[in-house]
Each structure stands twice: as C-alpha cells, then as structure tokens.
Amino acid sequence: MSIALQKTLSLILLIVLGLILKRKFTQPEQQKGLKMIILDIALPAMIFVALLKIEINPDLLILPILALLFNILFLVISKYALPVLGIEQGTASMRTLLLLLPSLAPGLTCFPFVVSYLGEDVLAWAALADIGNKFFVLVLAYLLAISWYYKHHQLKKASTKDRVKQLLLAMLKEPINLVMISAIILLSFGINMEALPVFISEAILMMKDMMTPLVLLFIGIAVVFKWDQLRMLAGMLLFRAGVTFTISGIFVAMVPMPIEAILLAVVFPQSAVSFWPFAHMSAIRSMELGDESKKTKPTFDLELGVNLLALSMPFSTLLILGIFSSGTYFTNPYHIFLFGGIMLILSFLPKISKWISTLAMEEELGSLSEQKLNKNNSIE
C-alpha cells in the first residue's frame, strides 16, 4: 500500500470517528465551541510555527495578490455563467451565489491536508495566500453585499468609510491575522522558533499538533447528509470546482513551479465556501427584518446560503483528499484541464438535457401539427 493511500486512510478514519461521535454533539453550541478551538487556537498556532520556519522572500508577497485575483476572476465568471445554469439575474439566489461561490475557507478544508501531505513550509505559503482571500471575504464581499442591499431596496447609498474601517479593525482582532502579523514582525528581526524561549515554543507546538485531528473530527461531526439539498446544489459545486481546476491548469501551464507549489495551486482554490459572506448576508437580513417595508423583499436567500455552506465542506474535503491521494497526477496541466472539463460538463448536464428534451418536444409537436394538416388536406 502506498504511503499517500495510507495517509489518506488514516485521515478518513478520523472523519469516521467524528461521524460516530456526532450524536454526542447534538447542540449547535457544542459544535461552535469545537470550531472556535480550531480557528482561534490550533490553526493560529500551526500558522505561527509554519511562518517562523521560513525565510522572508519578497517573491512570496505575490501569493496574496494571486489569491485576490482568483476571487475577483471567479466572481466575474459566475456573473455570466450562473444565468446559463438556470439562475435568474437580479434574484436573491443570484446575489447569494455570486457572493459565496468565489469565497474560500482554507482553514478547515485545505490547511490540515496541506500540512499533512506537503509540510509546514508549503502551509506557510498557503497562509500568506489566504491574506488576499481574507481581504475579499471581509472587505470586498461586504461592500458588494451592502451595495446590492441599497440597490435592491432603491435606497440612497450611505458612506461605507466607517464600516470598512470597522471591518479592517475586526481583521486585526482575529487571532489568525494577529499571529501572521506577529510572525512577520519576529522574522523581520531575525527571530525564529529556535530563538523563542523553550516554554513558549513547546506550548505553541502542542497547540499546533491539535489542528489536524480536531479538524477531521469536526468535519465528521458537522457534516449533514441531505440528499435533496445535494441534488439541488451539486451543479453549483461541480461548476465551482470545474472553473477552479481550469484556472489552476492555466496557471500551472504558464508558470514553472516545483511539485509542491503545483499541488498547492490546485488544492487551495478548491477550499470550501467561506462563512464570512454569509455573515454579511445575515447582517443585512437582520436590517430588513427590522423594517416592515423590506421584510418581504430579502436581498439574499439565506436558506440557499446555509445549504451551500453545509454541502461545500464535505465536497471540498473529499476533492482535496482525492487530489493528494492521486500522487503526481494533478501536477500535469493536461490532467487538471481534463478533470475541470469533466466537472463543467457534469454541471451543465441537467441544462443540456432539458434543452434537448425541449427541442425533441417541439419537434414532436411540429410533426403532429404537420400530420394533422396533411390529414385535413386529404379530407378536403
């Protein structure tokens, strides 16, 4: 049995254990507490250790820019592709999907597998790239959400300067962002993990070691199998994955990179949908519920958003596990294009089938009309 397959099976075993423990975590507060431990303690510790083990390289500053460009590019693609998939322009569903699909949540669905398969150095690259993604989900997504809110309800746009300021301050208060800033400052003074006092470095390393098992247990505990929702949103997730593979394939074909960087370029954009855009939508819905004139005209479809978030995590987890388990298969850009093309075809398949059925029905009706006309002519 290959090492990659053995590693994958051990990770899946922890997810299965989470499924077994699911009945012990029936309250939302219990799952929320476990998620907070992951995002506020284990993940920041892991990123801190990873950053302190790399050398500052100005070339790495391109990573957050590339991640932000990916978010924006996917937003533009979705705007024109979603109507083809059957999502009507200007609807709450359209605005919801436009805000969620380009977002990424690598902390729960990408980082644990990156560190397990590629090591802590590559995790540091991923953490730097996530800075650009966080700017999108925390700032740009909020500006889009508030803009659509004013446009939908035909309100005069208020100044968003103070709101953006509050968001930037909130970013600085997040443990992950504070950790990254602290690590970069320490590195600029030549301080790494070895230079820290032993009691501090040991405590950080122990917190870091909790990350992967806790995330895998959380995935097993939090996953919800609702097949009706799965059928409804499968096309959207397949479309998202197909476009992402295509973008990654173009990037890999154009830019020469080591194998580890190629795999990161493939798996990082496959991260699950981020919760932050949904948080912005929920805040706007609260504003609408406080006004009788807006209560019945929601800007966003929160039920659709919740369903997409629930399905996105297991979908992305299985996809990323599959990529890593395949060895070097996805280091070839042609293989990436092939897989992306298959997923895009699958996502458009229901629409194509419906179009073919409509054509067949029209042809049949036309044939019946012609037969009826010929019969009438023969009687005459």
Side-chain angles (χ1 to χ4, degrees):
M1 189 182 294
S2 67
I3 295 175
L5 182 57
Q6 290 183 51
K7 187 180 289 288
T8 299
L9 290 175
S10 65
L11 297 176
I12 291 174
L13 185 60
L14 286 172
I15 296 175
V16 172
L17 180 58
L19 288 169
I20 296 170
L21 294 173
K22 193 179 183 70
R23 56 192 177 88
K24 298 286 187 180
F25 290 80
T26 55
Q27 300 299 321
E29 292 79 10
Q30 293 174 320
Q31 294 187 17
K32 185 178 179 182
L34 182 57
K35 187 176 180 180
M36 286 181 65
I37 293 173
I38 294 169
L39 294 179
D40 293 348
I41 299 176
L43 180 58
M46 177 178 281
I47 291 174
F48 185 78
V49 172
L51 288 174
L52 284 188
K53 287 187 176 181
I54 66 169
E55 297 179 4
I56 289 184
N57 185 347
D59 295 339
L60 294 179
L61 297 178
I62 193 66
L63 293 176
I65 297 173
L66 290 174
L68 180 59
L69 288 175
F70 166 81
N71 296 132
I72 296 171
L73 177 60
F74 199 98
L75 177 66
V76 174
I77 292 171
S78 299
K79 180 180 179 181
Y80 295 101
L82 288 179
V84 181
L85 284 166
I87 308 299
E88 189 178 345
Q89 285 276 17
T91 60
S93 297
M94 180 71 170
R95 289 186 287 268
T96 301
L97 292 171
L98 277 178
L99 214 58
L100 283 172
L101 289 176
S103 67
L104 300 173
L108 289 174
T109 51
C110 179
F111 287 177
F113 304 110
V114 168
V115 74
S116 294
Y117 285 92
L118 302 179
E120 293 179 353
D121 289 343
V122 182
L123 175 65
W125 301 349
L128 288 173
D130 192 36
I131 295 174
N133 170 64
K134 281 190 175 179
F135 181 79
F136 176 83
V137 298
L138 288 172
V139 179
L140 295 186
Y142 173 79
L143 293 177
L144 275 174
I146 203 72
S147 174
W148 289 338
Y149 166 72
Y150 283 113
K151 184 178 179 180
H152 178 60
H153 293 291
Q154 298 179 345
L155 302 173
K156 184 179 178 181
K157 287 188 179 180
S159 173
T160 56
K161 182 179 178 181
D162 292 337
R163 294 180 182 274
V164 173
K165 183 179 179 181
Q166 291 174 2
L167 277 172
L168 291 174
L169 289 173
M171 287 178 69
L172 291 175
K173 291 177 182 178
E174 272 201 47
I176 293 175
N177 296 329
L178 285 174
V179 159
M180 288 192 286
I181 293 169
S182 302
I184 291 170
I185 292 172
L186 289 174
L187 283 173
S188 65
F189 285 101
I191 300 173
N192 54 25
M193 280 297 293
E194 287 73 22
L196 292 175
V198 175
F199 71 94
I200 294 178
S201 61
E202 286 293 327
I204 294 172
L205 288 171
M206 284 190 287
M207 288 188 288
K208 186 257 309 182
D209 291 338
M210 296 191 299
M211 176 65 188
T212 301
L214 279 180
V215 167
L216 296 172
L217 288 172
F218 176 77
I219 290 171
I221 291 167
V223 66
V224 178
F225 294 106
K226 294 184 177 179
W227 300 113
D228 290 339
Q229 296 175 3
L230 180 63
R231 287 195 298 269
M232 180 179 63
L233 291 170
M236 294 300 148
L237 293 173
L238 286 169
F239 163 75
R240 182 177 186 262
V243 172
T244 301
F245 273 120
T246 304
I247 295 172
S248 297
I250 294 170
F251 183 72
V252 169
M254 292 177 60
V255 182
M257 295 180 290
I259 290 176
E260 293 83 0
I262 292 173
L263 288 172
L264 180 62
V266 175
V267 299
F268 182 84
Q270 296 295 344
S271 300
V273 170
S274 173
F275 173 78
W276 281 107
F278 181 79
H280 303 325
M281 292 187 282
S282 298
I284 287 174
R285 184 56 182 158
S286 298
M287 293 163 56
E288 292 171 336
L289 290 174
D291 190 329
E292 289 295 330
S293 62
K294 303 184 185 71
K295 188 181 292 186
T296 57
K297 292 177 60 181
T299 307
F300 299 101
D301 186 343
L302 294 189
E303 184 179 346
L304 177 66
V306 168
N307 293 341
L308 184 60
L309 283 169
L311 292 173
S312 177
M313 181 179 289
F315 183 87
S316 294
T317 300
L318 292 174
L319 202 56
I320 291 171
L321 269 174
I323 292 168
F324 279 129
S325 301
S326 63
T328 59
Y329 182 84
F330 284 95
T331 58
N332 187 324
Y334 298 107
H335 295 164
I336 301 172
F337 284 132
L338 175 63
F339 210 73
I342 291 171
M343 290 202 149
L344 283 174
I345 291 170
L346 290 174
S347 68
F348 284 98
L349 202 57
K351 193 71 178 178
I352 295 170
S353 300
K354 187 177 179 181
W355 179 67
I356 292 173
S357 299
T358 303
L359 285 178
M361 188 177 295
E362 289 177 354
E363 185 177 342
E364 186 178 348
L365 289 173
S367 177
L368 289 172
S369 298
E370 187 177 347
Q371 289 176 11
K372 187 176 181 181
L373 182 63
N374 292 335
K375 184 178 180 180
N376 289 336
N377 290 336
S378 64
I379 293 174
E380 292 174 358

